[in-house]
Amino acid sequence: MKPITEYQDYRKYMLDYFDWRKGSSAFSWREFSKQAGFASPSYLKLVCDGKSSLSRVGVPLVAAAMGLNEFEQEYFKFMVEFTNAKDDDKKKDAFLKMKGLANEQRARVLDADAFDYYESAVNSVVRELAPLMPGALPGELAKKIKHTFTAQQVRDSLKLLVKLDLLKSLGENVYEQTDKVITGSGDALKLALRSMNGQMIDLAREAIEKIAPGERNISGVTIGVDEATVIRLSEEVDRFRKQVIAIAGESKKINQVYRLNLQLFPLSEKV
């Protein structure tokens, strides 16, 4: 079995546990449910198949049946809360508790780095801006950002970016970008990306009022489409985003940080 901190979805953890037990004995879903104290022999299989959810009452029973230690039981409890949560605030709260527990054990949490980076919009801004201003203090960097970020937020961001090896410190307040790419695929990463995209949309809203028209290009179009057209438009948006990155990479003398939001979303239900 992999360490429990390598998981975000308790169903996947339970399924891997079941497969691990079954690989060395005549273990069955009936036996698993019985050891956890459930009357239904198929209940835990239904949970792992996503057809049911583990309740608060069931968490300690299943944790005990799997022989988890105190730390693992606590982590498993928060993992159930994270997976079962219906809104982002509750998901974030549960994931932060998972991270906190793991940090106490000096354990690695899957996608934790990606979550920390994408959870705040300031990190992507500071990563681009800091190398352009060698020697600048966090307060000076904050003043260069057209939106309201504090010196402390910038200071914390610099510390995180160096820790994640996204910026390399060359001296006091002197940084350069590294080639490291943040990757991940779990629900925690999706949660952080939703948070950052929401913040970036808010910054775009601010830009309409604060930034002169000559320095921005904000427009939109409302269209009627069918399913095939939506797929084609999404592909074109992805293609254009990659083209933007390529064009930006050809910049000879970078002196400013820009953000391009690409948004395609339904305004109505299907008719």
Side-chain angles (χ1 to χ4, degrees), residues 141-188:
L141 290 171
K143 288 178 182 177
K144 277 293 183 182
I145 301 174
K146 287 183 176 287
H147 306 274
T148 306
F149 290 109
T150 66
Q152 186 60 50
Q153 286 176 299
V154 172
R155 187 177 295 109
D156 291 342
S157 178
L158 287 168
K159 189 181 299 183
L160 174 67
L161 293 168
V162 171
K163 174 189 169 187
L164 299 182
D165 194 30
L166 293 170
L167 283 182
K168 180 180 179 181
S169 178
L170 302 179
E172 189 172 1
N173 299 315
V174 180
Y175 303 92
E176 73 174 5
Q177 277 192 14
T178 67
D179 293 329
K180 181 177 177 181
V181 177
I182 285 286
T183 59
S185 59
D187 285 346

Side-chain angles (χ1 to χ4, degrees), residues 89-108:
D89 287 340
K90 290 181 180 178
K91 262 194 180 304
K92 180 180 176 181
D93 182 62
F95 185 75
L96 291 177
K97 289 175 181 175
M98 290 160 61
K99 269 187 62 186
L101 274 176
N103 288 340
E104 290 175 8
Q105 300 288 320
R106 299 191 176 184
R108 173 182 173 271

Side-chain angles (χ1 to χ4, degrees), residues 5 19 99 113 136 156 207 243:
T5 53
D19 290 340
K99 269 187 62 186
D113 289 352
D156 291 342
Q243 186 180 359

